[in-house]
Amino acid sequence: MNRLTTKGKIVFGILSIFIIALITITLIFIFTPKDKDPKELNSKYKEEVIEIMKGKNLYNKINEKEYSKTIEIMLEQNEFKEKYLEDYYKIEYINDNSFPKNTNNLLDKNYTPAEINYINNNLKEDINILLNMKHIDILKFKDITNFDIKKLERYLDYSKENTKYDMKTVVTYVNIGLDLEGYSEYKSYTKSEAENDLTIIVNKYHKLPEDFEPSDLVNLENTNYKLREEAASAFKKLTEAGIKDNVIFYPFSAYRSYNTQNGLYTNYKNRDGEKEADTYSARPGFSEHQLGLAVDVRSSNLTSNLTTEDYKWMLDNSYKYGFIIRYPKGKQHITQFIEEPWHIRYLGVELATKVHDSGLTYDEYYDLYIEKR
């Protein structure tokens, strides 16, 4: 057997070591994870989203900017549209399954990111109303507290027909119902609502039950006229305050039942025609008198009205005792009734004071500050 020389052994050993080292390095290279791009290591996006970015050749373009949850979701849900990339950065993400599709639909309708953020934060439940319409300047409603998106088309139609009104006025007038013919659409109260809420509004768009009669009616002092107990007590204080200022007035109508109002209105309609009667008399069920909170007053020297002086006193003082002039001068386009200086409505001192100080009709005030939405 040939034996290796010493020199050969040395060479063989060196080769063995080299081969082992080479194999070791190769295995380490194969099984060691590759280093990622430093930018990718700092990315907040999910790995699967990063792969989508790369597939669309958008990785560097997106990852060099601040992280956007909106962009991540749009990519993840396969709703991403590159033409809206800059818009996505400005749109706040909301946790809603329909967010990606709705966002693109609104952008397709030319809504701006600012408009979309307002819609998502305030109108999300009724977003389909906007999705089924052409683009509108929705931000003009943003500071209008009594805006109701369900009436959006009515606002827009009324605004076109009444260009002299600003949008805040348009919203209030439409909410009252002024874009509709009186009595054509209305809310019907329950007996419980009529009995337990002294602030409810009764007009051509709010109706009382036919069989409603307040449970606490009492006679006004020295008369057969009736009001609800709280209102009657306040009316006594009002009349006493008037006497101290040498303003003498008496009631000449107060609570009226549905049937009584029906008889009055029918007589007026037969005499003057329905259109004319509707300007000064409420139809049955739509009269404040049935609430037991309204009273008509007359100056001591008149049969059915207040003198100019007594009317001014009533304007300046009735709220202190819980009453307002319900149909003031110059407000027929809002109240839908002619001026009635003699018709006062009880609301309680606190609310009557607020209405008086606002300078608004009760129809306007109710919609702005009381109506529940």
Side-chain angles (χ1 to χ4, degrees), residues 220-221 227 230-241 249-251 295-297 314 321 323 344 346:
L220 297 179
E221 193 171 34
L227 284 180
E230 183 178 329
S233 176
F235 184 75
K236 181 180 180 182
K237 294 176 183 177
L238 178 66
T239 56
E240 290 171 348
F249 54 86
Y250 302 109
V295 54
D296 294 338
V297 293
M314 194 68 70
Y321 303 91
F323 291 89
I344 59 176
Y346 181 74

mmCIF file with all atom_site columns, all heavy atoms in Angstrom, residues 220-221 227 230-241 249-251 295-297 314 321 323 344 346:
data_model
loop_
_atom_site.group_PDB
_atom_site.id
_atom_site.type_symbol
_atom_site.label_atom_id
_atom_site.label_alt_id
_atom_site.label_comp_id
_atom_site.label_asym_id
_atom_site.label_entity_id
_atom_site.label_seq_id
_atom_site.pdbx_PDB_ins_code
_atom_site.Cartn_x
_atom_site.Cartn_y
_atom_site.Cartn_z
_atom_site.occupancy
_atom_site.B_iso_or_equiv
_atom_site.pdbx_formal_charge
_atom_site.auth_seq_id
_atom_site.auth_comp_id
_atom_site.auth_asym_id
_atom_site.auth_atom_id
_atom_site.pdbx_PDB_model_num
ATOM 1   N N   . LEU A 1 220 ? -110.381 80.087 34.760 1.00 0.00 ? 220 LEU A N   1
ATOM 2   C CA  . LEU A 1 220 ? -109.693 81.332 35.064 1.00 0.00 ? 220 LEU A CA  1
ATOM 3   C C   . LEU A 1 220 ? -110.559 82.129 36.031 1.00 0.00 ? 220 LEU A C   1
ATOM 4   O O   . LEU A 1 220 ? -111.790 82.064 35.985 1.00 0.00 ? 220 LEU A O   1
ATOM 5   C CB  . LEU A 1 220 ? -109.452 82.133 33.779 1.00 0.00 ? 220 LEU A CB  1
ATOM 6   C CG  . LEU A 1 220 ? -108.535 81.460 32.750 1.00 0.00 ? 220 LEU A CG  1
ATOM 7   C CD1 . LEU A 1 220 ? -108.403 82.343 31.507 1.00 0.00 ? 220 LEU A CD1 1
ATOM 8   C CD2 . LEU A 1 220 ? -107.163 81.176 33.338 1.00 0.00 ? 220 LEU A CD2 1
ATOM 9   N N   . GLU A 1 221 ? -109.937 82.882 36.879 1.00 0.00 ? 221 GLU A N   1
ATOM 10  C CA  . GLU A 1 221 ? -110.640 83.575 37.962 1.00 0.00 ? 221 GLU A CA  1
ATOM 11  C C   . GLU A 1 221 ? -111.790 84.433 37.432 1.00 0.00 ? 221 GLU A C   1
ATOM 12  O O   . GLU A 1 221 ? -111.621 85.225 36.502 1.00 0.00 ? 221 GLU A O   1
ATOM 13  C CB  . GLU A 1 221 ? -109.642 84.452 38.730 1.00 0.00 ? 221 GLU A CB  1
ATOM 14  C CG  . GLU A 1 221 ? -110.177 84.974 40.047 1.00 0.00 ? 221 GLU A CG  1
ATOM 15  C CD  . GLU A 1 221 ? -109.096 85.649 40.863 1.00 0.00 ? 221 GLU A CD  1
ATOM 16  O OE1 . GLU A 1 221 ? -108.197 86.273 40.252 1.00 0.00 ? 221 GLU A OE1 1
ATOM 17  O OE2 . GLU A 1 221 ? -109.144 85.553 42.093 1.00 0.00 ? 221 GLU A OE2 1
ATOM 18  N N   . LEU A 1 227 ? -108.021 76.976 31.491 1.00 0.00 ? 227 LEU A N   1
ATOM 19  C CA  . LEU A 1 227 ? -106.648 76.691 31.084 1.00 0.00 ? 227 LEU A CA  1
ATOM 20  C C   . LEU A 1 227 ? -106.125 75.572 31.982 1.00 0.00 ? 227 LEU A C   1
ATOM 21  O O   . LEU A 1 227 ? -106.712 75.271 33.023 1.00 0.00 ? 227 LEU A O   1
ATOM 22  C CB  . LEU A 1 227 ? -105.745 77.923 31.253 1.00 0.00 ? 227 LEU A CB  1
ATOM 23  C CG  . LEU A 1 227 ? -105.852 79.062 30.234 1.00 0.00 ? 227 LEU A CG  1
ATOM 24  C CD1 . LEU A 1 227 ? -104.860 80.168 30.599 1.00 0.00 ? 227 LEU A CD1 1
ATOM 25  C CD2 . LEU A 1 227 ? -105.577 78.565 28.823 1.00 0.00 ? 227 LEU A CD2 1
ATOM 26  N N   . GLU A 1 230 ? -101.332 75.053 35.710 1.00 0.00 ? 230 GLU A N   1
ATOM 27  C CA  . GLU A 1 230 ? -100.104 75.850 35.765 1.00 0.00 ? 230 GLU A CA  1
ATOM 28  C C   . GLU A 1 230 ? -100.244 77.132 34.950 1.00 0.00 ? 230 GLU A C   1
ATOM 29  O O   . GLU A 1 230 ? -99.831  78.216 35.387 1.00 0.00 ? 230 GLU A O   1
ATOM 30  C CB  . GLU A 1 230 ? -98.920  75.025 35.249 1.00 0.00 ? 230 GLU A CB  1
ATOM 31  C CG  . GLU A 1 230 ? -97.590  75.751 35.338 1.00 0.00 ? 230 GLU A CG  1
ATOM 32  C CD  . GLU A 1 230 ? -96.419  74.895 34.861 1.00 0.00 ? 230 GLU A CD  1
ATOM 33  O OE1 . GLU A 1 230 ? -96.479  73.655 35.021 1.00 0.00 ? 230 GLU A OE1 1
ATOM 34  O OE2 . GLU A 1 230 ? -95.447  75.466 34.321 1.00 0.00 ? 230 GLU A OE2 1
ATOM 35  N N   . ALA A 1 231 ? -100.846 77.019 33.784 1.00 0.00 ? 231 ALA A N   1
ATOM 36  C CA  . ALA A 1 231 ? -101.031 78.187 32.923 1.00 0.00 ? 231 ALA A CA  1
ATOM 37  C C   . ALA A 1 231 ? -102.024 79.162 33.535 1.00 0.00 ? 231 ALA A C   1
ATOM 38  O O   . ALA A 1 231 ? -101.858 80.388 33.435 1.00 0.00 ? 231 ALA A O   1
ATOM 39  C CB  . ALA A 1 231 ? -101.506 77.745 31.539 1.00 0.00 ? 231 ALA A CB  1
ATOM 40  N N   . ALA A 1 232 ? -103.058 78.644 34.164 1.00 0.00 ? 232 ALA A N   1
ATOM 41  C CA  . ALA A 1 232 ? -104.073 79.502 34.796 1.00 0.00 ? 232 ALA A CA  1
ATOM 42  C C   . ALA A 1 232 ? -103.457 80.317 35.936 1.00 0.00 ? 232 ALA A C   1
ATOM 43  O O   . ALA A 1 232 ? -103.741 81.516 36.094 1.00 0.00 ? 232 ALA A O   1
ATOM 44  C CB  . ALA A 1 232 ? -105.222 78.646 35.309 1.00 0.00 ? 232 ALA A CB  1
ATOM 45  N N   . SER A 1 233 ? -102.606 79.660 36.734 1.00 0.00 ? 233 SER A N   1
ATOM 46  C CA  . SER A 1 233 ? -101.940 80.360 37.827 1.00 0.00 ? 233 SER A CA  1
ATOM 47  C C   . SER A 1 233 ? -101.034 81.464 37.298 1.00 0.00 ? 233 SER A C   1
ATOM 48  O O   . SER A 1 233 ? -101.003 82.579 37.833 1.00 0.00 ? 233 SER A O   1
ATOM 49  C CB  . SER A 1 233 ? -101.119 79.354 38.650 1.00 0.00 ? 233 SER A CB  1
ATOM 50  O OG  . SER A 1 233 ? -100.383 80.008 39.655 1.00 0.00 ? 233 SER A OG  1
ATOM 51  N N   . ALA A 1 234 ? -100.313 81.167 36.200 1.00 0.00 ? 234 ALA A N   1
ATOM 52  C CA  . ALA A 1 234 ? -99.427  82.168 35.608 1.00 0.00 ? 234 ALA A CA  1
ATOM 53  C C   . ALA A 1 234 ? -100.227 83.311 35.001 1.00 0.00 ? 234 ALA A C   1
ATOM 54  O O   . ALA A 1 234 ? -99.810  84.480 35.066 1.00 0.00 ? 234 ALA A O   1
ATOM 55  C CB  . ALA A 1 234 ? -98.555  81.502 34.537 1.00 0.00 ? 234 ALA A CB  1
ATOM 56  N N   . PHE A 1 235 ? -101.386 83.010 34.428 1.00 0.00 ? 235 PHE A N   1
ATOM 57  C CA  . PHE A 1 235 ? -102.215 84.054 33.815 1.00 0.00 ? 235 PHE A CA  1
ATOM 58  C C   . PHE A 1 235 ? -102.720 85.024 34.876 1.00 0.00 ? 235 PHE A C   1
ATOM 59  O O   . PHE A 1 235 ? -102.798 86.241 34.634 1.00 0.00 ? 235 PHE A O   1
ATOM 60  C CB  . PHE A 1 235 ? -103.403 83.424 33.076 1.00 0.00 ? 235 PHE A CB  1
ATOM 61  C CG  . PHE A 1 235 ? -104.241 84.417 32.332 1.00 0.00 ? 235 PHE A CG  1
ATOM 62  C CD1 . PHE A 1 235 ? -103.799 84.962 31.140 1.00 0.00 ? 235 PHE A CD1 1
ATOM 63  C CD2 . PHE A 1 235 ? -105.473 84.826 32.838 1.00 0.00 ? 235 PHE A CD2 1
ATOM 64  C CE1 . PHE A 1 235 ? -104.572 85.901 30.456 1.00 0.00 ? 235 PHE A CE1 1
ATOM 65  C CE2 . PHE A 1 235 ? -106.243 85.755 32.164 1.00 0.00 ? 235 PHE A CE2 1
ATOM 66  C CZ  . PHE A 1 235 ? -105.792 86.302 30.968 1.00 0.00 ? 235 PHE A CZ  1
ATOM 67  N N   . LYS A 1 236 ? -103.039 84.507 36.050 1.00 0.00 ? 236 LYS A N   1
ATOM 68  C CA  . LYS A 1 236 ? -103.476 85.384 37.143 1.00 0.00 ? 236 LYS A CA  1
ATOM 69  C C   . LYS A 1 236 ? -102.372 86.373 37.502 1.00 0.00 ? 236 LYS A C   1
ATOM 70  O O   . LYS A 1 236 ? -102.625 87.577 37.696 1.00 0.00 ? 236 LYS A O   1
ATOM 71  C CB  . LYS A 1 236 ? -103.863 84.550 38.362 1.00 0.00 ? 236 LYS A CB  1
ATOM 72  C CG  . LYS A 1 236 ? -104.345 85.387 39.538 1.00 0.00 ? 236 LYS A CG  1
ATOM 73  C CD  . LYS A 1 236 ? -104.728 84.516 40.734 1.00 0.00 ? 236 LYS A CD  1
ATOM 74  C CE  . LYS A 1 236 ? -105.206 85.385 41.892 1.00 0.00 ? 236 LYS A CE  1
ATOM 75  N NZ  . LYS A 1 236 ? -105.547 84.567 43.094 1.00 0.00 ? 236 LYS A NZ  1
ATOM 76  N N   . LYS A 1 237 ? -101.145 85.895 37.579 1.00 0.00 ? 237 LYS A N   1
ATOM 77  C CA  . LYS A 1 237 ? -100.017 86.775 37.895 1.00 0.00 ? 237 LYS A CA  1
ATOM 78  C C   . LYS A 1 237 ? -99.804  87.804 36.790 1.00 0.00 ? 237 LYS A C   1
ATOM 79  O O   . LYS A 1 237 ? -99.468  88.960 37.059 1.00 0.00 ? 237 LYS A O   1
ATOM 80  C CB  . LYS A 1 237 ? -98.744  85.947 38.083 1.00 0.00 ? 237 LYS A CB  1
ATOM 81  C CG  . LYS A 1 237 ? -98.783  85.024 39.288 1.00 0.00 ? 237 LYS A CG  1
ATOM 82  C CD  . LYS A 1 237 ? -97.529  84.159 39.354 1.00 0.00 ? 237 LYS A CD  1
ATOM 83  C CE  . LYS A 1 237 ? -97.604  83.180 40.536 1.00 0.00 ? 237 LYS A CE  1
ATOM 84  N NZ  . LYS A 1 237 ? -96.419  82.282 40.569 1.00 0.00 ? 237 LYS A NZ  1
ATOM 85  N N   . LEU A 1 238 ? -100.015 87.384 35.553 1.00 0.00 ? 238 LEU A N   1
ATOM 86  C CA  . LEU A 1 238 ? -99.867  88.300 34.416 1.00 0.00 ? 238 LEU A CA  1
ATOM 87  C C   . LEU A 1 238 ? -100.891 89.424 34.489 1.00 0.00 ? 238 LEU A C   1
ATOM 88  O O   . LEU A 1 238 ? -100.557 90.600 34.282 1.00 0.00 ? 238 LEU A O   1
ATOM 89  C CB  . LEU A 1 238 ? -100.009 87.526 33.105 1.00 0.00 ? 238 LEU A CB  1
ATOM 90  C CG  . LEU A 1 238 ? -99.927  88.337 31.809 1.00 0.00 ? 238 LEU A CG  1
ATOM 91  C CD1 . LEU A 1 238 ? -98.525  88.919 31.629 1.00 0.00 ? 238 LEU A CD1 1
ATOM 92  C CD2 . LEU A 1 238 ? -100.289 87.473 30.599 1.00 0.00 ? 238 LEU A CD2 1
ATOM 93  N N   . THR A 1 239 ? -102.124 89.081 34.752 1.00 0.00 ? 239 THR A N   1
ATOM 94  C CA  . THR A 1 239 ? -103.178 90.110 34.818 1.00 0.00 ? 239 THR A CA  1
ATOM 95  C C   . THR A 1 239 ? -102.931 91.061 35.987 1.00 0.00 ? 239 THR A C   1
ATOM 96  O O   . THR A 1 239 ? -103.155 92.273 35.865 1.00 0.00 ? 239 THR A O   1
ATOM 97  C CB  . THR A 1 239 ? -104.565 89.466 34.944 1.00 0.00 ? 239 THR A CB  1
ATOM 98  O OG1 . THR A 1 239 ? -104.598 88.595 36.078 1.00 0.00 ? 239 THR A OG1 1
ATOM 99  C CG2 . THR A 1 239 ? -104.912 88.669 33.707 1.00 0.00 ? 239 THR A CG2 1
ATOM 100 N N   . GLU A 1 240 ? -102.465 90.537 37.109 1.00 0.00 ? 240 GLU A N   1
ATOM 101 C CA  . GLU A 1 240 ? -102.178 91.382 38.272 1.00 0.00 ? 240 GLU A CA  1
ATOM 102 C C   . GLU A 1 240 ? -101.032 92.339 37.976 1.00 0.00 ? 240 GLU A C   1
ATOM 103 O O   . GLU A 1 240 ? -101.053 93.508 38.393 1.00 0.00 ? 240 GLU A O   1
ATOM 104 C CB  . GLU A 1 240 ? -101.846 90.512 39.485 1.00 0.00 ? 240 GLU A CB  1
ATOM 105 C CG  . GLU A 1 240 ? -103.053 89.747 40.020 1.00 0.00 ? 240 GLU A CG  1
ATOM 106 C CD  . GLU A 1 240 ? -102.686 88.721 41.087 1.00 0.00 ? 240 GLU A CD  1
ATOM 107 O OE1 . GLU A 1 240 ? -101.461 88.451 41.243 1.00 0.00 ? 240 GLU A OE1 1
ATOM 108 O OE2 . GLU A 1 240 ? -103.593 88.184 41.749 1.00 0.00 ? 240 GLU A OE2 1
ATOM 109 N N   . ALA A 1 241 ? -100.010 91.852 37.223 1.00 0.00 ? 241 ALA A N   1
ATOM 110 C CA  . ALA A 1 241 ? -98.896  92.717 36.837 1.00 0.00 ? 241 ALA A CA  1
ATOM 111 C C   . ALA A 1 241 ? -99.383  93.819 35.906 1.00 0.00 ? 241 ALA A C   1
ATOM 112 O O   . ALA A 1 241 ? -98.942  94.972 36.000 1.00 0.00 ? 241 ALA A O   1
ATOM 113 C CB  . ALA A 1 241 ? -97.804  91.891 36.158 1.00 0.00 ? 241 ALA A CB  1
ATOM 114 N N   . PHE A 1 249 ? -106.757 93.901 30.915 1.00 0.00 ? 249 PHE A N   1
ATOM 115 C CA  . PHE A 1 249 ? -107.186 93.023 29.824 1.00 0.00 ? 249 PHE A CA  1
ATOM 116 C C   . PHE A 1 249 ? -107.925 91.822 30.407 1.00 0.00 ? 249 PHE A C   1
ATOM 117 O O   . PHE A 1 249 ? -107.759 91.465 31.570 1.00 0.00 ? 249 PHE A O   1
ATOM 118 C CB  . PHE A 1 249 ? -105.993 92.558 28.973 1.00 0.00 ? 249 PHE A CB  1
ATOM 119 C CG  . PHE A 1 249 ? -104.887 91.902 29.756 1.00 0.00 ? 249 PHE A CG  1
ATOM 120 C CD1 . PHE A 1 249 ? -104.924 90.549 30.053 1.00 0.00 ? 249 PHE A CD1 1
ATOM 121 C CD2 . PHE A 1 249 ? -103.795 92.648 30.200 1.00 0.00 ? 249 PHE A CD2 1
ATOM 122 C CE1 . PHE A 1 249 ? -103.915 89.942 30.772 1.00 0.00 ? 249 PHE A CE1 1
ATOM 123 C CE2 . PHE A 1 249 ? -102.780 92.046 30.923 1.00 0.00 ? 249 PHE A CE2 1
ATOM 124 C CZ  . PHE A 1 249 ? -102.840 90.690 31.210 1.00 0.00 ? 249 PHE A CZ  1
ATOM 125 N N   . TYR A 1 250 ? -108.747 91.222 29.549 1.00 0.00 ? 250 TYR A N   1
ATOM 126 C CA  . TYR A 1 250 ? -109.571 90.079 29.963 1.00 0.00 ? 250 TYR A CA  1
ATOM 127 C C   . TYR A 1 250 ? -109.454 88.959 28.932 1.00 0.00 ? 250 TYR A C   1
ATOM 128 O O   . TYR A 1 250 ? -109.219 89.214 27.752 1.00 0.00 ? 250 TYR A O   1
ATOM 129 C CB  . TYR A 1 250 ? -111.047 90.495 30.068 1.00 0.00 ? 250 TYR A CB  1
ATOM 130 C CG  . TYR A 1 250 ? -111.303 91.628 31.019 1.00 0.00 ? 250 TYR A CG  1
ATOM 131 C CD1 . TYR A 1 250 ? -111.661 92.896 30.530 1.00 0.00 ? 250 TYR A CD1 1
ATOM 132 C CD2 . TYR A 1 250 ? -111.194 91.468 32.390 1.00 0.00 ? 250 TYR A CD2 1
ATOM 133 C CE1 . TYR A 1 250 ? -111.908 93.947 31.386 1.00 0.00 ? 250 TYR A CE1 1
ATOM 134 C CE2 . TYR A 1 250 ? -111.433 92.519 33.255 1.00 0.00 ? 250 TYR A CE2 1
ATOM 135 C CZ  . TYR A 1 250 ? -111.787 93.752 32.751 1.00 0.00 ? 250 TYR A CZ  1
ATOM 136 O OH  . TYR A 1 250 ? -112.020 94.805 33.608 1.00 0.00 ? 250 TYR A OH  1
ATOM 137 N N   . PRO A 1 251 ? -109.660 87.727 29.359 1.00 0.00 ? 251 PRO A N   1
ATOM 138 C CA  . PRO A 1 251 ? -109.698 86.624 28.394 1.00 0.00 ? 251 PRO A CA  1
ATOM 139 C C   . PRO A 1 251 ? -111.016 86.625 27.630 1.00 0.00 ? 251 PRO A C   1
ATOM 140 O O   . PRO A 1 251 ? -112.054 87.002 28.179 1.00 0.00 ? 251 PRO A O   1
ATOM 141 C CB  . PRO A 1 251 ? -109.576 85.376 29.282 1.00 0.00 ? 251 PRO A CB  1
ATOM 142 C CG  . PRO A 1 251 ? -110.173 85.796 30.581 1.00 0.00 ? 251 PRO A CG  1
ATOM 143 C CD  . PRO A 1 251 ? -109.837 87.243 30.751 1.00 0.00 ? 251 PRO A CD  1
ATOM 144 N N   . VAL A 1 295 ? -104.486 81.387 25.357 1.00 0.00 ? 295 VAL A N   1
ATOM 145 C CA  . VAL A 1 295 ? -105.621 82.213 25.738 1.00 0.00 ? 295 VAL A CA  1
ATOM 146 C C   . VAL A 1 295 ? -105.618 83.475 24.889 1.00 0.00 ? 295 VAL A C   1
ATOM 147 O O   . VAL A 1 295 ? -104.569 84.065 24.629 1.00 0.00 ? 295 VAL A O   1
ATOM 148 C CB  . VAL A 1 295 ? -105.581 82.565 27.250 1.00 0.00 ? 295 VAL A CB  1
ATOM 149 C CG1 . VAL A 1 295 ? -104.255 83.191 27.653 1.00 0.00 ? 295 VAL A CG1 1
ATOM 150 C CG2 . VAL A 1 295 ? -106.757 83.465 27.644 1.00 0.00 ? 295 VAL A CG2 1
ATOM 151 N N   . ASP A 1 296 ? -106.790 83.859 24.432 1.00 0.00 ? 296 ASP A N   1
ATOM 152 C CA  . ASP A 1 296 ? -106.949 85.114 23.703 1.00 0.00 ? 296 ASP A CA  1
ATOM 153 C C   . ASP A 1 296 ? -107.367 86.188 24.692 1.00 0.00 ? 296 ASP A C   1
ATOM 154 O O   . ASP A 1 296 ? -108.275 85.970 25.510 1.00 0.00 ? 296 ASP A O   1
ATOM 155 C CB  . ASP A 1 296 ? -108.021 84.971 22.617 1.00 0.00 ? 296 ASP A CB  1
ATOM 156 C CG  . ASP A 1 296 ? -107.607 84.000 21.517 1.00 0.00 ? 296 ASP A CG  1
ATOM 157 O OD1 . ASP A 1 296 ? -106.393 83.774 21.351 1.00 0.00 ? 296 ASP A OD1 1
ATOM 158 O OD2 . ASP A 1 296 ? -108.499 83.455 20.835 1.00 0.00 ? 296 ASP A OD2 1
ATOM 159 N N   . VAL A 1 297 ? -106.706 87.344 24.621 1.00 0.00 ? 297 VAL A N   1
ATOM 160 C CA  . VAL A 1 297 ? -106.987 88.420 25.575 1.00 0.00 ? 297 VAL A CA  1
ATOM 161 C C   . VAL A 1 297 ? -107.395 89.682 24.833 1.00 0.00 ? 297 VAL A C   1
ATOM 162 O O   . VAL A 1 297 ? -106.991 89.909 23.694 1.00 0.00 ? 297 VAL A O   1
ATOM 163 C CB  . VAL A 1 297 ? -105.762 88.706 26.466 1.00 0.00 ? 297 VAL A CB  1
ATOM 164 C CG1 . VAL A 1 297 ? -105.474 87.528 27.377 1.00 0.00 ? 297 VAL A CG1 1
ATOM 165 C CG2 . VAL A 1 297 ? -104.530 89.038 25.637 1.00 0.00 ? 297 VAL A CG2 1
ATOM 166 N N   . MET A 1 314 ? -97.713  93.830 26.487 1.00 0.00 ? 314 MET A N   1
ATOM 167 C CA  . MET A 1 314 ? -97.734  92.369 26.471 1.00 0.00 ? 314 MET A CA  1
ATOM 168 C C   . MET A 1 314 ? -96.448  91.817 25.866 1.00 0.00 ? 314 MET A C   1
ATOM 169 O O   . MET A 1 314 ? -95.872  90.848 26.373 1.00 0.00 ? 314 MET A O   1
ATOM 170 C CB  . MET A 1 314 ? -98.953  91.878 25.682 1.00 0.00 ? 314 MET A CB  1
ATOM 171 C CG  . MET A 1 314 ? -99.253  90.402 25.875 1.00 0.00 ? 314 MET A CG  1
ATOM 172 S SD  . MET A 1 314 ? -99.821  89.980 27.543 1.00 0.00 ? 314 MET A SD  1
ATOM 173 C CE  . MET A 1 314 ? -101.456 90.730 27.549 1.00 0.00 ? 314 MET A CE  1
ATOM 174 N N   . TYR A 1 321 ? -93.921  86.055 32.859 1.00 0.00 ? 321 TYR A N   1
ATOM 175 C CA  . TYR A 1 321 ? -94.905  85.212 33.547 1.00 0.00 ? 321 TYR A CA  1
ATOM 176 C C   . TYR A 1 321 ? -95.166  83.913 32.773 1.00 0.00 ? 321 TYR A C   1
ATOM 177 O O   . TYR A 1 321 ? -96.096  83.174 33.087 1.00 0.00 ? 321 TYR A O   1
ATOM 178 C CB  . TYR A 1 321 ? -96.198  86.010 33.759 1.00 0.00 ? 321 TYR A CB  1
ATOM 179 C CG  . TYR A 1 321 ? -95.920  87.278 34.527 1.00 0.00 ? 321 TYR A CG  1
ATOM 180 C CD1 . TYR A 1 321 ? -95.610  88.464 33.841 1.00 0.00 ? 321 TYR A CD1 1
ATOM 181 C CD2 . TYR A 1 321 ? -95.886  87.294 35.921 1.00 0.00 ? 321 TYR A CD2 1
ATOM 182 C CE1 . TYR A 1 321 ? -95.296  89.620 34.531 1.00 0.00 ? 321 TYR A CE1 1
ATOM 183 C CE2 . TYR A 1 321 ? -95.571  88.450 36.621 1.00 0.00 ? 321 TYR A CE2 1
ATOM 184 C CZ  . TYR A 1 321 ? -95.262  89.604 35.920 1.00 0.00 ? 321 TYR A CZ  1
ATOM 185 O OH  . TYR A 1 321 ? -94.942  90.749 36.618 1.00 0.00 ? 321 TYR A OH  1
ATOM 186 N N   . PHE A 1 323 ? -95.532  83.533 29.241 1.00 0.00 ? 323 PHE A N   1
ATOM 187 C CA  . PHE A 1 323 ? -96.318  83.583 28.005 1.00 0.00 ? 323 PHE A CA  1
ATOM 188 C C   . PHE A 1 323 ? -95.536  84.262 26.879 1.00 0.00 ? 323 PHE A C   1
ATOM 189 O O   . PHE A 1 323 ? -94.681  85.116 27.117 1.00 0.00 ? 323 PHE A O   1
ATOM 190 C CB  . PHE A 1 323 ? -97.623  84.350 28.222 1.00 0.00 ? 323 PHE A CB  1
ATOM 191 C CG  . PHE A 1 323 ? -98.611  83.652 29.114 1.00 0.00 ? 323 PHE A CG  1
ATOM 192 C CD1 . PHE A 1 323 ? -98.591  83.848 30.494 1.00 0.00 ? 323 PHE A CD1 1
ATOM 193 C CD2 . PHE A 1 323 ? -99.555  82.782 28.580 1.00 0.00 ? 323 PHE A CD2 1
ATOM 194 C CE1 . PHE A 1 323 ? -99.505  83.200 31.317 1.00 0.00 ? 323 PHE A CE1 1
ATOM 195 C CE2 . PHE A 1 323 ? -100.474 82.132 29.396 1.00 0.00 ? 323 PHE A CE2 1
ATOM 196 C CZ  . PHE A 1 323 ? -100.447 82.338 30.768 1.00 0.00 ? 323 PHE A CZ  1
ATOM 197 N N   . ILE A 1 344 ? -101.925 84.546 23.185 1.00 0.00 ? 344 ILE A N   1
ATOM 198 C CA  . ILE A 1 344 ? -100.700 84.276 23.936 1.00 0.00 ? 344 ILE A CA  1
ATOM 199 C C   . ILE A 1 344 ? -100.660 82.795 24.321 1.00 0.00 ? 344 ILE A C   1
ATOM 200 O O   . ILE A 1 344 ? -101.687 82.166 24.544 1.00 0.00 ? 344 ILE A O   1
ATOM 201 C CB  . ILE A 1 344 ? -100.564 85.176 25.184 1.00 0.00 ? 344 ILE A CB  1
ATOM 202 C CG1 . ILE A 1 344 ? -101.742 84.990 26.148 1.00 0.00 ? 344 ILE A CG1 1
ATOM 203 C CG2 . ILE A 1 344 ? -100.418 86.640 24.764 1.00 0.00 ? 344 ILE A CG2 1
ATOM 204 C CD1 . ILE A 1 344 ? -101.605 85.803 27.445 1.00 0.00 ? 344 ILE A CD1 1
ATOM 205 N N   . TYR A 1 346 ? -98.738  79.784 26.749 1.00 0.00 ? 346 TYR A N   1
ATOM 206 C CA  . TYR A 1 346 ? -97.935  79.526 27.946 1.00 0.00 ? 346 TYR A CA  1
ATOM 207 C C   . TYR A 1 346 ? -96.844  78.497 27.659 1.00 0.00 ? 346 TYR A C   1
ATOM 208 O O   . TYR A 1 346 ? -97.102  77.435 27.098 1.00 0.00 ? 346 TYR A O   1
ATOM 209 C CB  . TYR A 1 346 ? -98.817  79.017 29.083 1.00 0.00 ? 346 TYR A CB  1
ATOM 210 C CG  . TYR A 1 346 ? -98.041  78.762 30.357 1.00 0.00 ? 346 TYR A CG  1
ATOM 211 C CD1 . TYR A 1 346 ? -97.594  79.830 31.135 1.00 0.00 ? 346 TYR A CD1 1
ATOM 212 C CD2 . TYR A 1 346 ? -97.731  77.460 30.761 1.00 0.00 ? 346 TYR A CD2 1
ATOM 213 C CE1 . TYR A 1 346 ? -96.861  79.608 32.285 1.00 0.00 ? 346 TYR A CE1 1
ATOM 214 C CE2 . TYR A 1 346 ? -96.998  77.232 31.915 1.00 0.00 ? 346 TYR A CE2 1
ATOM 215 C CZ  . TYR A 1 346 ? -96.561  78.313 32.672 1.00 0.00 ? 346 TYR A CZ  1
ATOM 216 O OH  . TYR A 1 346 ? -95.831  78.088 33.814 1.00 0.00 ? 346 TYR A OH  1
#
